[in-house]
Amino acid sequence: AAEAVVREGVVPLAVGLGTCCLSGVESERQVLDGLAAGYRLVDTASHYGNEAAVAAALKKSGVRRSEVMLVTKIWYDDMGPNASAAINRSLTELGTDYVDLLLMHFPGSIDAMQSPSANRQRRYDTWRCMEDAQRSGVARQIGVSNFT
């Protein structure tokens, strides 16, 4: 498998299981099947509404949490100075005390419809909350996703 080491020494996996557009029992089944097939990176997001199903699949799979790279994302509606509450909600939904990768989800998508300067501040505030999450150990890595 292809590997790359990022700054903090975490080795991300090259292939992962995405859970966008999956919900409920379907989401849980797909993640269970993926883990059984050998996937060890699971990508979800608060906006997908399936973090609890991902958690249930991880629990039922018997795969140790430490063996799975778990990725989640903060949605635009949760960005800003209160992003830490969204991070905590995701951790609760995922049934874990940390994620391996925490991403800001579509952070630039609303600029065309709203104030770019206000959105810049939301991104800044969100990033600061994400840095706090990383410092406290609830996010091993942080980054952005779909910055369009």
Side-chain angles (χ1 to χ4, degrees), residues 7 13 16 33 39 53 59 63 69 88 115 117 122 134 139 146:
R7 187 179 64 198
L13 302 171
D33 289 348
Y39 282 91
K59 186 174 183 178
V63 177
M69 183 172 187
N88 289 330
S115 164
S117 62
R122 286 174 69 107
Q134 187 177 33
N146 305 82

Side-chain angles (χ1 to χ4, degrees), residues 35-104:
L35 291 168
Y39 282 91
R40 290 299 180 265
L41 185 155
V42 178
D43 177 282
T44 188
S46 60
H47 185 66
Y48 301 166
N50 62 16
E51 289 175 320
V54 168
L58 285 169
K59 186 174 183 178
K60 288 180 182 178
S61 74
V63 177
R64 290 192 314 259
R65 169 66 185 89
S66 61
E67 295 178 12
V68 176
M69 183 172 187
L70 189 56
V71 180
T72 196
K73 304 172 202 77
I74 303 169
W75 186 243
Y76 180 81
D77 293 345
D78 294 321
M79 290 181 198
N82 297 316
S84 58
I87 295 166
N88 289 330
R89 277 193 310 275
S90 285
L91 292 171
T92 298
E93 288 291 309
L94 289 165
T96 188
D97 56 353
Y98 74 96
V99 293
D100 298 282
L101 179 59
L102 177 65
L103 300 171
M104 197 183 317

